Amino acid sequence: MIVNERDTQEGLLVAVCDEDVLGETFEEGDLSLTVTEEFYGGDAVEEDAVVESLAQADVANIVGTRAVELAVEEGFIDEANVLEVGTTLHAQLLRMQ
């Protein structure tokens, strides 16, 4: 998976995607999701590093079947809040403080 971390005014923003979805566009009805290198590009990491990044995130955007499944398995995302966009999955995390 690929992880990109950046500090923002809202806190730590973590973007995670499966490697095979980077650069792809997915559509479902009126919804279109482009997984850009600019936003999602970063370091290829193992699953444990993804979990560590999500644990620190104030905001996270997660794209790709495996990345979203991992976020659900680890309790970061409720499965009911996962969107199917074309042939992939997408979820967002916002940690309120």
Side-chain angles (χ1 to χ4, degrees), residues 30-53:
D30 292 336
L31 183 61
S32 179
L33 172 66
T34 301
V35 188
T36 64
E37 174 76 34
E38 179 181 41
F39 188 80
Y40 288 94
D43 298 322
V45 299
E46 298 296 324
E47 290 185 359
D48 60 336
V50 172
V51 172
E52 288 177 24
S53 289

Side-chain angles (χ1 to χ4, degrees), residues 4 8-9 20 22-24 28 36 39 41 45 50 55 71-72 77-79 90:
N4 184 327
T8 70
Q9 291 180 337
D20 64 338
L22 189 62
E24 299 291 326
E28 185 75 31
T36 64
F39 188 80
V45 299
V50 172
V72 170
I77 300 292
D78 186 320
E79 192 169 3
H90 173 66

Side-chain angles (χ1 to χ4, degrees), residues 78-92:
D78 186 320
E79 192 169 3
N81 296 321
V82 173
L83 296 175
E84 290 185 36
V85 184
T87 59
T88 198
L89 300 178
H90 173 66
Q92 294 181 317

Side-chain angles (χ1 to χ4, degrees), residues 14-30:
V14 175
V16 179
C17 71
D18 291 351
E19 290 184 48
D20 64 338
V21 301
L22 189 62
E24 299 291 326
T25 296
F26 300 92
E27 296 182 347
E28 185 75 31
D30 292 336

